[in-house]
Amino acid sequence: MKLIIQIPCYNEAATLQATLDDLPKSIEGIDVIEYLIINDGSEDNTERIAREWGVDYIVHHKRNLGLAKGFLAGIDLALRQGADIIVNTDADNQYCGADIEKLVRPILEKKADIVIGERPIDEIEEFSWLKKKLQKFGSWVVRIASKTDIPDAPSGFRAFSRKAAMRMNVNNEYTYTLETIVQAGRNKMAITSVPIRTNPEMRDSRLMKSVWGYIKKSFLTILRALLMYRPLMVFTSISAVFLLLGGGVGVRFVVCYFEDGGSGHVQSLIFAILLIVIGVQSLMLGFLADVISANRKLLEDVQFRVKKLELGLLDAEGQDKRKGNTRGMK
């Protein structure tokens, strides 16, 4: 059983050494632990510190591509290096390295494919009252969107089984944390969380530069994930709003018509028709988007099979080499 711990980095020279020193060197049930750094266009000594420390792998980006791109690049290399479990942690030493054992345990026991570390939000002194409320509200929205029970959706401290990592797709450039949970819930992956500890803050968050900026980007990320993975629900909700408003205005016109012949209320009729037309169009868009989403699911399944072939997990006939089963590609 091989574990690779990956750390996306962007100008992390001040904190990387402490983060690496805190990582576990052995875990019961894990035969090999290796370390991977994603140098996402750093302009300081991040990569030199990683090399001197002795990390096993370094992904080098010539320019900063963002957290999501760095995360996927690390996942890809870890899979190619034969990782059975991949743990992602932050380079600012926010998370307690010893708790990686808690993350991988449900995967080792075959109880989950994705495990997310639940931070004690209320106990983190560096978080303001507003930030704590925003973290909780954002996690609640993600739980609704993904139909999961993950209490700390923005947490970057998480573990993936090989199978789950091969199914990861991230389309936004802001962060992978929210979208991957919605994706996992939509694909009915086994996902759970475990309580973890945090270390004192060593630098300010780079994702949350401002409260409103964080709210806007998080909202757009969740909305985009919903449009990709649950489009019918989104467009049906929009359609229902317009149809109800249109129906209400239409009822008002009918009442006025029987009271005084509808004189002077033609505008209400036109407005009602307009709202109903928008509602029907939204519903049609929902059905169309749902068909596109189904095709996306087929493409994701094809991508999963292609990754298996690339990683040597399937032979030419589509048989799973690791499990030794004889099921062909369907």
Side-chain angles (χ1 to χ4, degrees):
M1 185 65 69
K2 184 175 184 178
L3 165 66
I4 292 183
I5 303 172
Q6 71 168 35
I7 309 176
C9 298
Y10 177 57
N11 294 333
E12 304 288 2
T15 60
L16 182 57
Q17 179 77 43
T19 302
L20 290 169
D21 289 341
D22 195 41
L23 298 179
K25 305 303 184 291
S26 64
I27 295 175
E28 183 181 352
I30 300 293
D31 301 310
V32 178
I33 299 179
E34 294 180 342
Y35 310 92
L36 185 158
I37 297 298
I38 303 102
N39 180 20
D40 192 24
S42 297
E43 299 173 349
D44 59 6
N45 294 323
T46 293
E47 190 164 320
R48 179 180 62 81
I49 292 172
R51 292 186 185 280
E52 291 178 353
W53 190 88
V55 300
D56 299 279
Y57 312 104
I58 295 179
V59 176
H60 179 80
H61 291 168
K62 293 181 180 180
R63 57 171 295 182
N64 181 252
L65 301 181
L67 181 58
K69 296 290 186 183
F71 167 78
L72 288 180
I75 290 288
D76 183 67
L77 180 57
L79 288 172
R80 294 181 184 280
Q81 296 300 324
D84 296 293
I85 301 176
I86 302 170
V87 166
N88 187 90
T89 188
D90 291 348
D92 59 359
N93 200 35
Q94 175 185 173
Y95 306 109
C96 182
D99 287 341
I100 288 178
E101 182 172 4
K102 294 182 181 180
L103 285 182
V104 303
R105 190 57 53 194
I107 298 177
L108 289 173
E109 294 175 353
K110 302 188 183 301
K111 294 180 179 179
D113 287 313
I114 301 176
V115 184
I116 298 177
E118 177 192 353
R119 295 168 294 178
I121 299 296
D122 289 330
E123 300 175 12
I124 301 178
E125 296 180 359
E126 291 84 1
F127 283 11
S128 66
W129 178 88
L130 180 58
K131 185 173 182 179
K132 291 177 181 179
K133 296 302 179 184
L134 287 175
Q135 294 275 6
K136 290 183 177 181
F137 177 73
S139 295
W140 175 79
V141 173
V142 172
R143 287 198 296 274
I144 298 298
S146 63
K147 291 186 177 181
T148 64
D149 58 355
I150 302 302
D152 187 8
S155 172
F157 196 44
R158 48 185 68 189
F160 302 87
S161 69
R162 185 175 182 82
K163 177 182 177 182
M166 290 172 66
R167 287 194 174 275
M168 287 296 102
N169 289 293
V170 181
N171 295 281
N172 77 86
E173 297 181 359
Y174 175 57
T175 179
Y176 62 91
T177 56
L178 308 180
E179 184 178 339
T180 50
I181 294 177
V182 176
Q183 183 185 99
R186 188 257 189 185
N187 290 328
K188 300 189 183 302
M189 296 184 191
I191 180 170
T192 189
S193 65
V194 295
I196 59 165
R197 297 164 292 174
T198 58
N199 297 317
E201 190 176 273
M202 298 182 71
R203 63 162 173 77
D204 294 334
S205 172
R206 289 175 179 163
L207 281 180
M208 192 171 179
K209 295 180 180 180
S210 70
V211 172
W212 298 115
Y214 175 79
I215 292 174
K216 181 184 71 173
K217 290 182 178 179
S218 296
F219 173 77
L220 291 175
T221 298
I222 295 170
L223 179 60
R224 186 175 181 181
L226 280 173
L227 287 171
M228 286 191 295
Y229 298 111
R230 300 186 66 188
L232 186 58
M233 182 203 73
V234 174
F235 283 102
T236 300
S237 300
I238 295 173
S239 173
V241 172
F242 283 100
L243 289 174
L244 288 173
L245 288 174
V249 176
V251 169
R252 177 181 179 274
F253 172 79
V254 171
V255 171
C256 293
Y257 179 82
F258 282 106
E259 287 182 348
D260 55 15
S263 177
H265 299 286
V266 178
Q267 299 93 331
S268 297
L269 178 61
I270 296 174
F271 187 47
I273 293 173
L274 178 62
L275 290 172
I276 291 173
V277 168
I278 294 175
V280 171
Q281 288 180 333
S282 297
L283 187 60
M284 293 302 100
L285 283 174
F287 286 126
L288 178 61
D290 191 56
V291 172
I292 295 174
S293 180
N295 288 331
R296 176 188 174 83
K297 179 66 168 62
L298 293 175
L299 290 173
E300 288 179 349
D301 289 339
V302 171
Q303 182 187 52
F304 179 67
R305 301 283 182 165
V306 170
K307 283 185 179 180
K308 277 193 168 185
L309 284 170
E310 289 179 343
L311 298 172
L313 300 180
L314 291 179
D315 59 24
E317 297 179 355
Q319 297 176 345
D320 195 321
K321 293 180 179 180
R322 282 198 165 194
K323 294 182 179 179
N325 66 44
T326 58
R327 292 180 298 174
M329 293 176 66
K330 298 182 179 179

